[in-house]
Structures are given as structure tokens and as C-alpha cells.
Amino acid sequence: MDYSKHFLLNTETVKQYVKDKTNIFDGTDVSDLKSKEISDGNINYVYSVANSQKSVVVKQADNKIRTSGRELDRHRNVLEYKTLSIEGKLTNGMVPKMYNYDETMSAIIMEDVSAYKNLRKELHAEKIFPKLAEQISSFMVDALLPTTDLIFDRHQKKNVVKEFINVDLCDITEDLVLTEPYYNYKNRNTFDDALDNFVKQNLYENDELKANVAELRNNFMNNAQALLHGDLHSGSIFINQNGIKIIDPEFAFYGPIGYDIGNVLGNLVFPLVVEYSKKENKNSEFMTWLENTIEDIFDLTIKKLYLKYDELVEFPLYKERKFENSYISSIIADSLGYAGTEIIRRTVGDSKVLEITSITNVEQRNIVSKALIKIGTDLILNRKLYSAGNQLISDIAEISDSII
Ligand code: ADP
Ligand code: MG
């Protein structure tokens, strides 16, 4: 086939594509390969291609969003490939292996990691993963800190910053996460009418909160600190009892480290608040594990940031303990701030989460939404005050209690 111009693959052509681009299926006829569209996302096309022994995944981007048809630069796909390659090296394989990249076709051929499952869905089924805090805190610290110019060569870093300018995808975050929940200028927010006044008072007319979100937005847009995943919510984390695999960094760019950490923390608050809100069938074992996991992710991430910093930073001025403390403290404050903006945007914004949309009882859904808005607000406003995971959990529980 001719791949000199971009065209969209389908379940048939994708088989030949994998044959042409890799030697993985040498010895197997195209007609003996099986393929299917496996995407449950809404932006790109994802196929699996397999023979009886081995399966690979092909992720292809178009110039448009698959579901809405809105234009979106295909360049995101090369940034995803490059980020996965960098993250794979830095984290010793916590992402799918890369088999081929083709910039013209905007297609990545990679390891099929379907032995691991979508963390958001697993949490929805109340599954417990004892090592999650240990694994995800390692992933974040190992993938993020070494890409900063505290460690990485400052000249090279500037070139990488340039390479990772991600105009279209950052634009989505700047609007959907860091603007519209507080200033609904595109009229895309959605929530039950009964929440109108609550949202108005707590978000649209909350000047103190808006000033703090402005700080976080400005920081997101101007603090080229580290190469971020950019969309590290629980649907980008695949997990089983052996480990985790991180997928889908198409929002990657050089931004504040706390944005990734905040996404992880914030997305674990949804299942927790839903559990708090249950009147019957409460699963206290799951609830306690989730509380401990959020607490441990917070504490372990700080601990590992210090360890990695002490291990890898060599520049004398940066080795001053006072600077190290202030650098890590500001990452932690950012993390809580962005956890807050993530919690709020998923509650009132255009892009909802399963944990909220699946609540069929409107009254319960509204109570959960109010608790989430209050928790998000607390995390944003008090982001510089938290220094330990147990404070965080006790405040989340207390705020939930006051509303539920
Ligand atoms: P999008 O960017 O369109 O959201 P994702 O990268 O999130 O696409 O992929 C969508 C879905 O496809 C994932 O939720 C997962 O089920 C499946 N998928 C993607 N990459 C892989 C992979 N390497 N192995 C197995 N399944 C994958
Ligand atoms: Mg995606």
C-alpha cells in the first residue's frame, strides 16, 4: 500500500499496515490476522491486530476529533509517540513498548497492554490494588523530575520545550479545565438545574476562587518545568495486580509537574466521594483502601521527589536545601490546586466522569456534585497549606460529611 499521504486506516487496511511497517507477523498471512476497533475514547482510532500468538495495537490520529468532527492538529500524535518513548526509558517500561512510528500516517504501532485494565472502570467495580500508590508515585517522579533543567541539560531542554509546543491540546485544557467551570463563556457547562444557584455562588461569583484559578491557569501556560503526560486521569492508567501501564499522553507538553500529580489525586477523589454518599451497600474495605491510597500517593510522591532530587541534581545552587524545599513545596501546592480544578471541571464542565454520570438517582448525584465542588474549592484555596496526606483525607472526609 502507498503510505505517502495520510489516510484513515480501517479494520482491513490496518492488518496490511502492520505487516508493511513491522516484521512482527512475518510468517503469518494477512488473511490469517484478526483485527478490531477497540477504542472507547472519543478522539482517535485504536485497533488491535493479532495472530494466535501475538497482538499489537495501532493508534491513529485524524485531523478531526472522531466523535465531534471538530478540527484538531494531528501533530498531537507525534508528541504522544515521543512522550511514550521518553517515559518508557525513564520508568523502566511502565508504558506500552513502541514498535513503529509513522509521522505521515500519524500512526503508532505499540504493545497491546490489554492484560491491564482501565483503572477508572476497575475502581468503579470497587477493585482494590494494594500497590497502586507505590507504582503511580514512582511513575510520576521518575518520568517528570529528570526532564526538568535541574537535571536535564538546559540547552537541550529548551529545544525539547520547543518541540513539545502542543497548541491545540493545551488549548483544550486551558478552556475546559482552567476557564469554563468559572467563566462559562462557551456555554458548555452542564449540570442539573437544581445546582444553578450553588454553581453561581460557589464558582461563577466566587472572586477569591477565580483569582486562584487565574494563578493556576497562568502557571499552566508559562511554567515550562517538565515534560508532562498532560492527561493523567484514571482512564489513562491501566492496571492489574502485577503493575501499571500508562497510555495516551497526547496532551504532552512542557508544563508544571503538579498538573500531572493533581490529575492523579483528583481523579481518585471521585470514587471516594461516591462511596461516602452511598446509603446502602457501602464497601468499607474499598473506601479505606482508597483513602489510604490517596494519602500514600501524596506522601510517597513527596518522599520520592526528595530522593530523586538528592540523587540526580548536581548544580550547586540547586543543592541548597532551602531551594530544594521551596521547589518541592511549590510542586505540592500546584498538585493540590490542579487536583481541585480537575475535580471541579469534571463535575460542572463538558467532559464528565463515569463516577458521576453513572449515578442514576438525581438527588444523590447533586449531593455528590456539591461535595466535589466544595472539596475542589478547598484544595485550590488551601493548596499551600497541606503537607501530609492524612490532612488531605481528613478534610475531604469532613467536607463530604458536611454535605452528605
Ligand atoms: P484516545 O486518545 O482516543 O482517548 P486512548 O489512547 O485513550 O485513545 O485509547 C482508547 C482505548 O483504546 C483505551 O481506553 C484502551 O481501551 C484502548 N487502548 C489504547 N492503547 C492501548 C494499548 N496499547 N493496549 C491495549 N489497549 C489500548
Ligand atoms: Mg486521549
Side-chain angles (χ1 to χ4, degrees):
M1 271 192 295
D2 175 10
Y3 306 114
S4 61
K5 274 203 197 107
H6 181 267
F7 66 91
L8 278 184
L9 295 164
N10 60 36
T11 45
E12 275 314 306
T13 52
V14 75
K15 296 183 202 169
Q16 188 63 47
Y17 183 74
V18 174
K19 289 276 289 176
D20 290 341
K21 293 288 179 179
T22 72
N23 56 16
I24 294 168
F25 295 119
D26 282 4
T28 306
D29 237 45
V30 178
S31 56
D32 291 329
L33 290 175
K34 292 205 161 58
S35 72
K36 32 179 209 258
E37 209 322 17
I38 57 168
S39 179
D40 54 3
N42 52 18
I43 301 186
N44 304 288
Y45 298 82
V46 186
Y47 302 95
S48 67
V49 176
N51 65 12
S52 54
Q53 277 108 48
K54 195 163 168 67
S55 179
V56 301
V57 160
V58 180
K59 178 167 178 177
Q60 189 182 29
D62 192 9
N63 298 313
K64 296 181 279 203
I65 296 183
R66 197 183 73 193
T67 47
S68 69
R70 196 158 66 81
E71 280 190 24
L72 196 64
D73 193 347
R74 265 198 286 136
H75 185 60
R76 66 190 189 276
N77 189 257
V78 65
L79 300 186
E80 173 163 354
Y81 166 72
K82 287 181 177 173
T83 305
L84 285 168
S85 305
I86 294 170
E87 289 174 345
K89 283 199 197 104
L90 289 172
T91 66
N92 206 4
M94 284 186 175
V95 302
K97 289 194 192 79
M98 299 292 104
Y99 299 139
N100 184 257
Y101 185 66
D102 173 349
E103 187 155 3
T104 309
M105 289 291 283
S106 291
I108 307 169
I109 305 179
M110 64 182 133
E111 180 188 7
D112 183 341
V113 296
S114 48
Y116 299 76
K117 305 285 173 227
N118 183 318
L119 176 63
R120 189 185 301 286
K121 293 182 184 167
E122 296 293 90
L123 294 178
H124 197 59
E126 301 179 358
K127 296 218 182 115
I128 288 175
F129 298 94
K131 293 189 237 151
L132 172 60
E134 200 62 73
Q135 291 159 340
I136 194 69
S137 57
S138 287
F139 173 80
M140 293 191 290
V141 173
D142 293 353
L144 293 166
L145 203 59
T147 67
T148 68
D149 49 24
L150 267 56
I151 294 166
F152 188 36
D153 175 83
R154 63 194 157 111
H155 307 94
Q156 273 178 290
K157 185 246 184 182
K158 288 181 185 70
N159 286 321
V160 181
V161 171
K162 191 163 63 178
E163 192 181 329
F164 277 89
I165 296 287
N166 196 349
V167 180
D168 275 13
L169 285 284
C170 285
D171 187 74
I172 295 179
T173 304
E174 289 154 17
D175 263 343
L176 280 183
V177 184
L178 299 169
T179 304
E180 293 175 55
Y182 316 90
Y183 170 44
N184 188 21
Y185 79 113
K186 289 190 171 171
N187 255 310
R188 294 192 290 189
N189 292 344
T190 58
F191 41 82
D192 189 59
D193 289 349
L195 294 175
D196 275 354
N197 274 333
F198 189 89
V199 169
K200 203 164 147 199
Q201 268 174 19
N202 286 279
L203 300 178
Y204 301 158
E205 293 175 357
N206 187 343
D207 296 345
E208 182 63 23
L209 181 66
K210 286 193 286 183
N212 278 270
V213 172
E215 284 182 6
L216 291 163
R217 187 179 190 274
N218 182 56
N219 185 53
F220 179 87
M221 294 171 70
N222 294 288
N223 181 4
Q225 187 175 28
L227 177 60
L228 304 189
H229 176 288
D231 196 21
L232 198 52
H233 63 89
S234 44
S236 298
I237 302 172
F238 278 61
I239 190 161
N240 62 25
Q241 295 303 337
N242 298 321
I244 57 173
K245 294 283 176 191
I246 306 298
I247 65 161
D248 197 17
E250 65 185 331
F251 284 73
F253 77 114
Y254 254 85
I257 289 178
Y259 188 73
D260 275 357
I261 302 173
N263 252 310
V264 169
L265 290 170
N267 278 281
L268 294 175
V269 172
F270 301 119
L272 181 60
V273 173
V274 169
E275 204 55 47
Y276 286 154
S277 76
K278 286 184 184 163
K279 293 219 165 62
E280 50 204 32
N281 299 325
K282 260 199 209 293
N283 181 342
S284 62
E285 192 195 352
F286 176 70
M287 195 171 81
T288 305
W289 168 75
L290 202 47
E291 288 177 333
N292 290 339
T293 297
I294 295 172
E295 186 176 323
D296 290 350
I297 291 176
F298 186 86
D299 293 337
L300 286 171
T301 301
I302 299 176
K303 183 178 140 196
K304 291 177 187 180
L305 279 170
Y306 272 101
L307 286 173
K308 190 114 219 143
Y309 193 110
D310 293 341
E311 181 195 338
L312 296 180
V313 173
E314 282 173 354
F315 190 63
L317 296 182
Y318 296 152
K319 285 186 85 70
E320 287 296 331
R321 193 72 178 180
K322 201 168 167 192
F323 173 74
E324 178 179 0
N325 288 339
S326 88
Y327 187 87
I328 293 179
S329 300
S330 78
I331 291 176
I332 296 311
D334 286 353
S335 304
L336 294 170
Y338 294 120
T341 54
E342 175 69 5
I343 290 170
I344 290 175
R345 73 98 167 199
R346 297 288 195 176
T347 307
V348 302
D350 182 47
S351 180
K352 295 273 189 289
V353 285
L354 171 73
E355 291 90 335
I356 303 178
T357 54
S358 63
I359 304 176
T360 47
N361 179 320
V362 182
E363 211 172 308
Q364 187 195 358
R365 194 165 68 229
N366 288 345
I367 285 172
V368 166
S369 300
K370 284 184 180 176
L372 288 169
I373 291 169
K374 286 286 191 190
I375 291 165
T377 304
D378 171 74
L379 295 182
I380 294 168
L381 295 179
N382 299 316
R383 64 190 185 280
K384 296 178 183 147
L385 304 180
Y386 289 99
S387 57
N390 60 2
Q391 300 169 320
L392 185 64
I393 287 301
S394 76
D395 280 11
I396 290 172
E398 197 176 305
I399 296 168
S400 299
D401 243 20
S402 72
I403 289 176
I404 298 164

